[in-house]
Amino acid sequence: MHTVVVGTSGVTASDVLAVARDGARIELSGEAVAALAAAREIVDALAAKPDPVYGVSTGFGALATRHISTELRAQLQRNIVRSHAAGMGPRVEREVVRALMFLRLKTVCSGHTGVRPEVAQTMADVLNAGITPVVHEYGSLGCSGDLAPLSHCALTLMGEGDAEGPDGVVRPAGELLAEHGIAPVELREKEGLALLNGTDGMLGMLVMALADLDMLYKSADITAALSMEGLLGTDKVLAPELHAIRPHPGQGASAANMLAVLKGSQLTGHHQDDAPRVQDAYSVRCAPQVAGAGRDTMAHAGLVAERELASAVDNPVVLPDGRVESNGNFHGAPVAYVLDFLAIAAADLASIAERRTDRLLDKNRSHGLPPFLADDAGVDSGLMIAQYTQAALVSEMKRLAVPASADSIPSSAMQEDHVSMGWSAARKLRTAVDNLTRVIAVELYAATRAVELREGLAPAPASRAVIEAVRKAGVQGPGPDRFLAPDLAAADAFVRGGELVRAAESVTGPLQ
């Protein structure tokens, strides 16, 4: 099994994906253990002094003015975890919780939190054992970080609350720790606070969304190319010299992908009844511009994620010169903004895909295709309601594109009077990505059927490879009406699992 070694300088996106989705094992580097021990010495020294230090010998948030006596400090750290584990609603997905815990461990191992090495090791042990704390949908305002979700994870480290075992069964966390020989942690000064103060949930979901969107943008280029063939559109608009004079990198990449898929097609550039079209509709002609803008949005979001993955997010932090300073680095604004930005781009990509699908089904705009791609229009409805489903998904995605990060709501008796709502932005982006997959699947279903109905003209070799693969995957081709939902589900699985991209790349080579 792949092993991820956590040091002091952060982790990579591939590390997050390996732990969250593939169950990779975690090891702490010797450098990390040494940094943990050194920072802990500083915290212990401050704890022994009479001067109040936030998070070490004071309360939290609006209660930070109270100095906490030595004998109550362990109770203070336990209490912050218990009281902050106040989430409600449905359970959050296992991969999100694993990413959340792993990214908190990343910050702990930076040596800037003052947590003891044994606490960090327990975090790694819980992840390695396949134990997943029960975390709920609601509870984070994205400042001070993802407090409630992280608190539910910290509760598991203490042997309290509920968690899911490697068998998928939810049980008391204490029982699961005992079965795997893991001793519950006894939190000391600052440790409870350090386990809660981070942007780890929203960051983990950003990393996973970027990985999924990378595949989906390639998928969208492929389905756009298939739709262009189905509509007898012209591929001249994809010429590299046209995109070179407007040098947005994403636009050039999308155009190049479409051109690669269409290479060798006999369908592009032909016109119904020899009546030439001067231009194709925007949804066809401007596909690279829209998908390309989304790709450039992803590039910016990836840069933000990269910086955040290299960050140590906590409050207060232990600095190399021995100071322990309060700060605002836990504020989720940088991550929240790009999560919202990605939801906007995803909604627009879905919108243009739906417009191409609708054009394929409309006999007045499809250039010779049967109404709704039906076998016997009137007796058969064809793909009419598949487009309804796609339109409903797009409409939902437009609502999900409304930014969460513009909706701050004050908390903690106005001490935390401006929050990021980054967790909410991440949660709605996950839904948007899920829906985008389905939208692309519907376009794939319609476009492959349209291409097959163009008898006498051969599609591009890459298109043929896609059609053959999707038919083998259980998505049926043209014919009389049938129960449509299983076909759409099979198309969704084909896109979601990356088979669409692999089928095209079997001919084109790697797409951008």
Side-chain angles (χ1 to χ4, degrees):
M1 182 182 290
H2 178 60
T3 298
V4 172
V5 178
V6 183
T8 60
S9 57
V11 296
T12 66
S14 60
D15 291 336
V16 176
L17 294 171
V19 172
R21 291 182 164 172
D22 301 330
R25 291 189 61 79
I26 301 162
E27 291 182 4
L28 309 186
S29 73
E31 174 195 33
V33 173
L36 284 159
R40 186 64 209 180
E41 288 181 5
I42 294 171
V43 170
D44 285 341
L46 287 172
K49 295 180 179 179
D51 302 325
V53 178
Y54 178 69
V56 176
S57 53
T58 71
F60 309 109
L63 303 177
T65 54
R66 178 178 172 182
H67 184 264
I68 307 299
S69 60
T70 304
E71 64 273 13
L72 293 177
R73 290 177 189 171
Q75 181 181 339
L76 170 72
Q77 299 302 320
R78 289 194 302 272
N79 284 352
I80 189 176
V81 172
R82 290 168 177 163
S83 65
H84 286 44
M88 295 181 73
R91 283 182 58 196
V92 170
E93 303 85 358
R94 183 177 186 270
E95 66 176 16
V96 172
V97 179
R98 286 184 63 82
L100 173 75
M101 286 192 71
F102 175 64
L103 288 168
R104 183 79 313 229
L105 176 60
K106 173 267 298 183
T107 282
V108 165
C109 287
S110 69
H112 291 294
T113 67
V115 169
R116 289 169 295 149
E118 50 264 43
V119 176
Q121 185 60 56
T122 301
M123 296 173 75
D125 290 343
V126 167
L127 285 165
N128 289 341
I131 298 171
T132 307
V134 171
V135 173
H136 299 279
E137 179 80 16
Y138 303 108
S140 174
L141 299 179
C143 186
S144 305
D146 294 317
L147 284 174
L150 283 164
S151 297
H152 282 275
C153 294
L155 201 65
T156 294
L157 300 179
M158 292 165 52
E160 300 181 17
D162 292 327
E164 180 186 294
D167 58 359
V169 177
V170 174
R171 296 166 53 197
E175 291 182 12
L176 288 167
L177 295 186
E179 282 186 7
H180 290 84
I182 301 171
V185 296
E186 294 285 345
L187 297 176
R188 288 170 47 181
E189 291 92 346
K190 193 183 178 302
E191 290 181 333
L193 184 62
L195 294 176
L196 314 186
N197 246 325
T199 56
D200 309 292
M202 63 184 91
L203 176 58
M205 286 185 275
L206 173 60
V207 169
M208 289 185 283
L210 285 169
D212 294 338
L213 287 169
D214 179 67
M215 182 269 292
L216 288 174
Y217 271 83
K218 293 175 185 175
S219 300
D221 290 340
I222 296 166
T223 56
L226 285 161
S227 290
M228 180 179 280
E229 284 190 297
L231 292 165
L232 303 179
T234 177
D235 61 358
K236 289 183 178 180
V237 296
L238 304 174
E241 56 269 26
L242 293 175
H243 299 279
I245 62 176
R246 194 191 190 197
H248 292 286
Q251 177 180 324
S254 285
N257 283 349
M258 289 182 65
L259 205 56
V261 172
L262 292 169
K263 184 178 181 180
S265 176
Q266 295 179 7
L267 287 166
T268 54
H270 289 269
H271 306 292
Q272 180 187 10
D273 300 326
D274 296 321
R277 272 171 281 154
V278 176
Q279 297 180 134
D280 290 310
Y282 283 10
S283 60
V284 179
R285 187 176 10 136
C286 302
Q289 284 77 9
V290 172
R295 286 169 169 269
D296 291 341
T297 301
M298 286 172 56
H300 171 60
L303 179 61
V304 171
E306 184 179 333
R307 290 169 176 163
E308 198 76 358
L309 287 167
S311 300
V313 178
D314 192 18
N315 178 49
V317 291
V318 179
L319 296 173
D321 61 7
R323 287 180 294 149
V324 176
E325 297 285 2
S326 291
N327 66 91
N329 283 343
F330 49 73
H331 200 287
V335 182
Y337 291 168
V338 294
L339 288 163
D340 281 332
F341 200 176
L342 288 172
I344 292 169
D348 202 35
L349 185 65
S351 179
I352 197 170
E354 183 274 331
R355 288 294 80 204
R356 289 191 296 264
T357 303
D358 181 68
R359 185 166 288 272
L360 288 164
L361 304 189
D362 184 353
K363 71 180 181 65
N364 297 310
R365 295 179 291 140
S366 65
H367 308 286
L369 290 169
F372 303 105
L373 305 180
D375 186 62
D376 184 3
V379 175
D380 294 314
S381 295
L383 306 191
M384 181 190 295
I385 308 304
Q387 185 268 331
Y388 282 34
T389 299
Q390 190 186 42
L393 289 162
V394 171
S395 184
E396 173 70 7
M397 290 181 69
K398 291 175 182 177
R399 292 190 290 273
L400 292 168
V402 176
S405 57
D407 188 29
S408 174
I409 187 166
S411 59
S412 192
M414 294 299 286
Q415 176 71 4
E416 297 170 9
D417 58 353
H418 185 275
V419 297
S420 77
M421 302 307 295
W423 173 273
S424 298
R427 296 305 295 167
K428 70 184 182 65
L429 177 60
R430 279 182 72 85
T431 303
V433 170
D434 204 32
N435 285 350
L436 177 60
T437 309
R438 297 185 178 103
V439 169
I440 292 171
V442 175
E443 183 182 15
L444 172 68
Y445 191 33
T448 53
R449 180 180 285 205
V451 169
E452 288 182 299
L453 289 170
R454 296 291 188 185
E455 296 178 357
L457 294 171
S463 300
R464 283 201 305 272
V466 168
I467 292 169
E468 289 172 5
V470 78
R471 297 292 173 254
K472 288 180 182 176
V475 182
Q476 298 183 54
D481 280 356
R482 55 184 169 267
F483 181 21
L484 209 54
D487 270 10
L488 295 178
D492 175 46
F494 187 78
V495 174
R496 195 176 297 274
E499 292 178 68
L500 171 58
V501 173
R502 288 192 289 273
E505 288 184 336
S506 69
V507 175
T508 64
L511 295 171
Q512 298 182 50

